[in-house]
Every structure is written in structure tokens, then in C-alpha cells.
Amino acid sequence: MKKLNIGNSDFKSIIQNNNYFVDKSLFIQEIIDGQNQVVLVPRPRRFGKTLNMSMLRYFFDINRPENKSLFENLKIWQTPTEITSKQGKFPVIYLSFKDAKAGTWTETFEYISTEIIKLYAANDYLNAGDFLKPYEKNVFNKILNKDATIVEYAYSLQALCEYLHRFYNQKVVILIDEYDTPIHAGYKKFYSEVVSFMRNFLSATFKDNTNLYKGVITGILRVSRESIFSGVNNISVCTMLDEEFSDKFGFTEEETRQMLKDFDVATDYDQIQNWYDGYTIGDKKGIYNPWSIINFISAINKGFKPYWVNTSSDDLLKAQINHRNSNHIREQIFQLINNQPIEKIIEENFVFNDLDKNQELLWTLLLFSGYLTVEKKLGTNRYLLKIPNFEIEFVFKNIVLLWLNTEVKIQQNLLIETAKHLTNNEIEKFEKGFKKIIGDTFSYFDIAGEAENVYQAYILGLFAVIGDDYLIKSNRESGEGRYDIMLIPHDKTKFGVVIEIKQVKVKNEISERQLQELVNTKIKEAKHQIEQNQYFKELIDNKVNNIIKLPIVFVGKTPYILPLQSEN
């Protein structure tokens, strides 16, 4: 049986060592057949970008004719001659910026320039003899000796492309992997410096380059044409929303099933699907996270774990949730956690700096970064977005718990204990803990003038982050109407819960007796609504016989669950 080689993105070593390879070689044909000379393919991290770029490199490389053997057993070798004849015919420039990240622009540029120097060193045969003109030799040596100016580095790929074309009498393939890593690093630190350099670098490399055969760029985001790709008029951008290359990054269902079969994985397929499936790319549904599938198979005895989410920090998402003025974002994240899609405008021309002025851009960032996926296209740039799978849901829940713990100062054990009191039908204890949780949470922000759906959103979120034993739903048809919240236990012997939320609006100061009457009336109203409309019918249909019918009445920021008793 072939072995998995986790973390190895070198195509040649995978094939030569007879490691398991999911055949994406038709990506090469799509690049060759594509109408645009340059393509930018943004995809989430660990979705196979570097491996695909490595494969392109070995296919086209004019200096390695022996690479033909790497492809003879792959799908690309079944394509027409006009495709296979391109193998080994082009000089290749390959540059990766995956490590070009640091705390300052000076350090980040050091990484960028080092990669360019390595590239020039690998092609130093061009500097031998009299092939280069004296002034070309001068700049070539300045780059090799780390004496070049920032402008000379910006034009370095354009110059190298010209030299290679002249030397081989053949146009050049340029591959730039993870182009936006330095831009991510520069956000809020040295954004203007990094954007200025990358704009000049990419424009010089690709704009009107008569020495170029094909250019392929990968990254996570399409950074706005105005800030990065100004002037590059021959570029095609193929994002997660486009049909091009839709099955070339990530594993399709067919590929995943075959892989599970090849490694004799007996785990229930539906569970694997729930954990790692769920992505839609272009018109292709059912795309699996490849990093997670590979790690799951290689450590099958460890069961399901969030493999992909542990490969990078979630600082930007955490910052948005922690921000004191992020009520709306938190509400919608609670909605997503509860398997309810949200409708959003997606701005494909992303400008990092605009994130500070327009919080709605967060959803674009989350979509292209792999934290959300498209459920349905609604219009030109309007989409229904959802969390793709359990693994990503785990991220959102953990970030919300961190916010509750560090910012709102609610301890996780209070959340867990309070939830246990509810599901054990200990309503008095539940009300006491719930009042503290809601009081602390709502004191963190202003809910003045908000409707009952705000209360519902936050209750949903609080239950969702601790609700692994329950399927949590809201605003669904059940019986004769719509319940507010329902907790359906996976263990049918446990209590199910149906919740109806009411709000008492008090404009002026009132007496304790008046408050008691108002609250008790609303509690009775909520209970009657649950009974009359049979909101619990879905629980019965799910063979849950122990049912808690729970009214929650809000007076401002205070919830009441049990009727208030007169002090007389």
C-alpha cells in the first residue's frame, strides 16, 4: 500500500517515492488551454496550492527532460498531443513567498529579497561569459551580492524572464506561490510599504511581458486590482466563486471515497462528511478539506480532530468578535453556529485597509480563507453563506468561548453547569445561572431598542458553544407554528427543550407588583403558545418523550423563567 507523505508539497519526491497522490494533473491542461496569459488562483491554506504549483514546475521545466516519467501514469498523459508536447519545453521561474512574513517591513523584505537571490543563484549560468550585456551583468551581480536597490528587486523577475527567453529561445513560465503572505504580515504594521513593493513587482513581472508564455499566481485572497494588480491587464482571477479550476484544489467526493477505500478506512462515511466536507468551489459542491482528510487517515485511531484549524492563528477573526462594537457580527456568528446561513454581499476586490472601516468585509475574508462556504448564489454578488463542517464550527465555538471568558468574564464552567441544570430539568438552578450569564453578557454592550430576535441570537450562541450533545434549532416549523429555540438530544432518553422568548418593554418606573404581573402574564402567554401551537411536535417526531417547555421573558437585560412570587 502506498504511504501518505504529510506536509510534503514537492510533486517529484511524492511520485518518485511512490507516495499516495490524488491526481490533479489535469490542472496543467486547464492552464495551457486557458485564454488568459496570467491566472491568479486564490484558495484557502492547505488546499493543495503549493503541490499544484510544484507539479506545473516539473511539467514545464526545459532543464529536466527526465521529468516526463513523472507524468506518464497520470491523467495528463491521456490528453491530446498538443498538451503533452508542452512537457519539458519551457524555462520556468518558480518563486514562493510562503516564508516572507515578519514583524517589520525590513525583515519581511529580507525574506523576499533572499528568495529572489536564490532564484538568481540557480540561474547563474546566464551570468557566465558574455551572454549578458555589461549593464545586465552589473545588476545581476548586485542581486547576487545583496547590493541591489528595491527598484532593481522589483524588476528582477522581468529581467530574468527576458534573459531566459533569450538564452533558450523559448518563452517563460512564471509561477509565484503564496503571493499575499507578506501582505497578510503587513496588515496594520507596514501595509503601505508591502503593497507598494508588490504592486511594482507584479506589474513589472506580468504587464505586457512579451517573454512570457504563462503565469500562475496563488494565494489566499484576491487583493484589489487597484492596490496590487494595477496595470496587469492580462490577468484572470479564479476565486472560490468561479467555475475555473473548481475541482483542482481540495478533494472531490469521488477522490475522497477512493482514498478511504485505498486505505481501508471503515469509519462511517457520513461522519467523515460532517467533519471535513461541505465546501463549494464555483459550480462544484462536496469539496473536502485535503489537509484534514490526509491527517485523519494517517491517524485513524485518534478519531475526528480539527486538523486544518490548528495550522494557523485565527487572530483576525478573534479581533473582530472581541471588538466592543461587534454586536452584529457576534449575532451572525451565533446564527452560523446554529446551522443557519447568512446572506451577504461578497466583495471580490478585497482591500485589507477597508476592513477597519467596513466590518462587512469580514465575511469576504472568511469565505476566501475557508471558514465559510457558499450555500446558494442569490444575485450578482449576493450569497447565502454557511459554516462548511464540524471542524470549522469547532473554531467558531472556541473563539466565542474565548470571548465570553476573556472579555465578558464568563467562566466556561458556569456555562456548562447552567446548561446541565437545564437539560436535567433543574429549572430554578438554571434560571439563577442563566440570569448571571445573560446579565454579564448584555452588560458588555447596549441592547436598547433591540427586538426579541437579539435575545434569541445570544441564547442560541450560548447554547451552541456548549451544545455538542444536542442538535440546536431555531425558528423552525413545528406543530402549528414556529418555535424560537429547540434543543433535540442525540440521546433520546434525555430531556428535549423547546423555548419561547417574550419581551416586556417597560418605559417608566413601575412597582414590584406591576413588574410581577407583567412578567407572569408573559410567562403564561409563552407557555400557552407552546401548548396551543404544539411547538414540541418535532421533539415527539424525533422520539424524545421527556420534554421541557420553557418560557423566557426578558425585562430589559434580565431574563425570567419561573413566575415571580408575591412577597406577601
Side-chain angles (χ1 to χ4, degrees):
M1 180 186 293
K2 293 186 177 183
K3 292 183 179 180
L4 292 168
N5 194 340
I6 299 173
N8 183 6
S9 296
D10 184 75
F11 170 80
K12 186 171 187 175
S13 73
I14 288 172
I15 299 299
Q16 287 186 334
N17 292 323
N18 201 30
N19 295 137
Y20 195 92
F21 177 69
V22 175
D23 190 345
K24 299 287 186 181
S25 61
L26 292 182
F27 178 53
I28 301 166
Q29 182 180 19
E30 282 197 61
I31 293 296
I32 293 170
D33 285 342
Q35 298 299 304
N36 284 76
Q37 192 179 24
V38 183
V39 294
L40 167 62
V41 190
R43 289 294 185 271
R45 54 187 163 83
R46 304 288 187 176
F47 259 63
K49 298 188 295 293
T50 300
L51 180 56
N52 274 352
M53 292 288 266
S54 174
M55 178 175 66
L56 290 176
R57 178 186 188 181
Y58 286 115
F59 181 85
F60 287 119
D61 192 355
I62 197 169
N63 289 315
R64 298 287 183 271
E66 69 275 12
N67 286 345
K68 175 182 176 182
S69 63
L70 303 174
F71 298 92
E72 289 176 334
N73 294 320
L74 301 180
K75 293 175 183 176
I76 189 64
W77 223 246
Q78 308 305 315
T79 58
T81 306
E82 56 262 32
I83 302 297
T84 56
S85 63
K86 301 288 194 299
Q87 192 277 317
K89 293 296 189 293
F90 299 91
V92 176
I93 293 173
Y94 179 89
L95 193 62
S96 174
F97 287 146
K98 67 180 177 64
D99 297 322
K101 50 189 174 184
T104 67
W105 169 236
T106 301
E107 291 176 294
T108 300
F109 183 71
E110 184 77 14
Y111 282 105
I112 293 172
S113 59
T114 297
E115 290 300 318
I116 294 171
I117 290 166
K118 285 162 57 179
L119 183 62
Y120 265 62
N123 291 280
D124 63 354
Y125 57 90
L126 298 170
N127 200 27
D130 297 323
F131 174 73
L132 296 180
K133 298 174 176 129
Y135 69 88
E136 293 172 335
K137 270 181 171 289
N138 179 45
V139 176
F140 201 107
N141 287 321
K142 285 173 72 176
I143 289 173
L144 282 178
N145 296 322
K146 299 186 74 169
D147 292 329
T149 66
I150 195 167
V151 173
E152 287 166 334
Y153 280 116
Y155 280 86
S156 60
L157 256 63
Q158 181 203 64
L160 186 60
C161 185
E162 180 185 342
Y163 304 156
L164 288 169
H165 186 191
R166 193 193 309 164
F167 186 88
Y168 290 101
N169 196 29
Q170 186 65 269
K171 290 191 175 185
V172 180
V173 172
I174 300 180
L175 309 173
I176 301 179
D177 193 26
E178 306 288 2
Y179 87 99
D180 55 350
T181 297
I183 300 168
H184 286 273
Y187 175 60
K188 284 189 177 291
K189 297 174 186 175
F190 45 88
Y191 186 74
S192 60
E193 291 93 335
V194 69
V195 165
S196 176
F197 176 79
M198 293 303 294
R199 181 194 300 119
N200 294 332
F201 177 76
L202 293 169
S203 180
T205 301
F206 294 111
K207 182 181 179 182
D208 301 326
N209 188 345
T210 57
N211 303 296
L212 182 69
Y213 169 60
K214 291 285 183 179
V216 183
I217 310 166
T218 69
I220 293 176
L221 295 176
R222 166 188 181 161
V223 180
S224 171
R225 179 182 296 272
E226 286 70 30
S227 63
I228 295 293
F229 294 105
S230 56
V232 186
N233 51 15
N234 57 340
I235 189 170
S236 172
V237 184
C238 306
T239 72
M240 298 276 280
L241 302 176
D242 299 304
E243 294 182 12
E244 293 90 345
F245 316 119
S246 59
D247 61 348
K248 300 304 185 294
F249 299 83
F251 294 160
T252 65
E253 181 171 343
E254 181 183 9
E255 289 165 344
T256 303
R257 284 186 179 273
Q258 185 62 52
M259 196 172 183
L260 295 169
K261 180 181 177 183
D262 292 340
F263 284 92
D264 198 25
V265 175
T267 309
D268 179 55
Y269 185 74
D270 287 344
Q271 286 184 281
I272 297 170
Q273 207 168 24
N274 288 337
W275 265 87
Y276 305 123
D277 185 17
Y279 289 96
T280 297
I281 301 179
D283 59 346
K284 192 76 176 177
K285 293 183 180 292
I287 299 293
Y288 287 73
N289 185 315
W291 179 257
S292 298
I293 288 293
I294 289 169
N295 278 273
F296 171 73
I297 291 173
S298 68
I300 191 68
N301 294 331
K302 293 182 180 178
F304 295 101
K305 293 177 68 177
Y307 292 104
W308 179 78
V309 301
N310 292 328
T311 62
S312 182
S313 74
D314 307 303
D315 290 344
L316 191 56
L317 180 54
K318 289 173 185 172
Q320 291 297 318
I321 291 177
N322 288 347
H323 198 281
R324 201 168 185 87
N325 296 322
S326 292
N327 280 1
H328 187 56
I329 284 176
R330 284 190 288 267
E331 286 172 35
Q332 294 188 307
I333 285 174
F334 288 159
Q335 188 176 331
L336 287 164
I337 289 172
N338 284 282
N339 300 313
Q340 295 180 351
I342 59 174
E343 182 178 333
K344 290 293 167 188
I345 292 174
I346 297 302
E347 302 286 353
E348 291 192 69
N349 289 316
F350 192 92
V351 180
F352 261 113
N353 272 3
D354 288 350
L355 190 60
D356 293 330
K357 297 174 283 186
N358 181 5
Q359 283 188 323
E360 286 295 296
L361 287 174
L362 174 67
W363 309 110
T364 297
L365 178 64
L366 293 177
L367 173 65
F368 291 143
S369 299
Y371 290 95
L372 296 176
T373 193
V374 170
E375 181 171 275
K376 185 179 180 182
K377 184 173 183 178
L378 302 174
T380 303
N381 62 346
R382 295 192 71 85
Y383 296 85
L384 270 183
L385 306 179
K386 65 177 182 178
I387 294 175
N389 52 48
F390 288 170
E391 180 175 31
I392 306 302
E393 186 179 297
F394 174 88
V395 180
F396 283 100
K397 286 184 177 182
N398 272 7
I399 291 173
V400 171
L401 279 171
L402 182 66
W403 167 67
L404 289 169
N405 185 249
T406 59
E407 297 294 322
V408 190
K409 309 301 182 187
I410 295 177
Q411 298 298 317
Q412 187 172 350
N413 61 347
L414 173 61
L415 285 168
I416 294 169
E417 287 301 313
T418 302
K420 279 183 181 177
H421 292 321
L422 173 60
T423 55
N424 289 334
N425 201 21
E426 298 170 332
I427 303 304
E428 282 189 45
K429 291 179 180 178
F430 170 72
E431 184 182 42
K432 182 179 178 182
F434 189 67
K435 277 185 175 178
K436 175 162 180 52
I437 291 168
I438 293 296
D440 289 348
T441 307
F442 282 2
S443 67
Y444 185 75
F445 52 86
D446 182 15
I447 60 163
E450 298 286 0
E452 290 172 11
N453 62 346
V454 175
Y455 299 119
Q456 179 182 343
Y458 274 84
I459 294 168
L460 276 169
L462 294 169
F463 283 140
V465 295
I466 51 175
D468 290 339
D469 295 329
Y470 283 79
L471 176 62
I472 303 170
K473 295 185 172 184
S474 69
N475 280 332
R476 302 294 179 89
E477 292 285 354
S478 182
E480 300 299 317
R482 290 179 178 271
Y483 55 78
D484 282 329
I485 299 172
M486 181 175 286
L487 280 66
I488 304 173
H490 298 309
D491 180 351
K492 305 307 179 188
T493 65
K494 293 188 175 182
F495 282 98
V497 184
V498 60
I499 298 173
E500 177 64 23
I501 300 168
K502 297 292 181 186
Q503 181 185 22
V504 173
K505 295 181 180 179
V506 179
K507 294 182 179 179
N508 304 310
E509 284 196 25
I510 59 172
S511 67
E512 288 293 326
R513 178 174 290 279
Q514 288 173 311
L515 176 64
Q516 176 186 325
E517 288 175 355
L518 283 171
V519 169
N520 291 351
T521 297
K522 283 291 184 181
I523 287 175
K524 285 180 184 176
E525 185 183 317
K527 283 184 173 180
H528 178 71
Q529 197 168 325
I530 292 171
E531 291 289 353
Q532 185 179 45
N533 295 326
Q534 295 187 320
Y535 287 166
F536 46 82
K537 185 177 183 299
E538 188 173 349
L539 287 167
I540 294 171
D541 292 344
N542 277 275
K543 298 183 170 41
V544 177
N545 296 318
N546 299 315
I547 298 174
I548 299 169
K549 301 162 188 176
L550 192 76
I552 299 181
V553 174
F554 281 91
V555 181
K557 298 176 181 179
T558 305
Y560 296 91
I561 294 163
L562 295 169
L564 289 171
Q565 301 296 318
S566 173
E567 294 182 2
N568 296 331

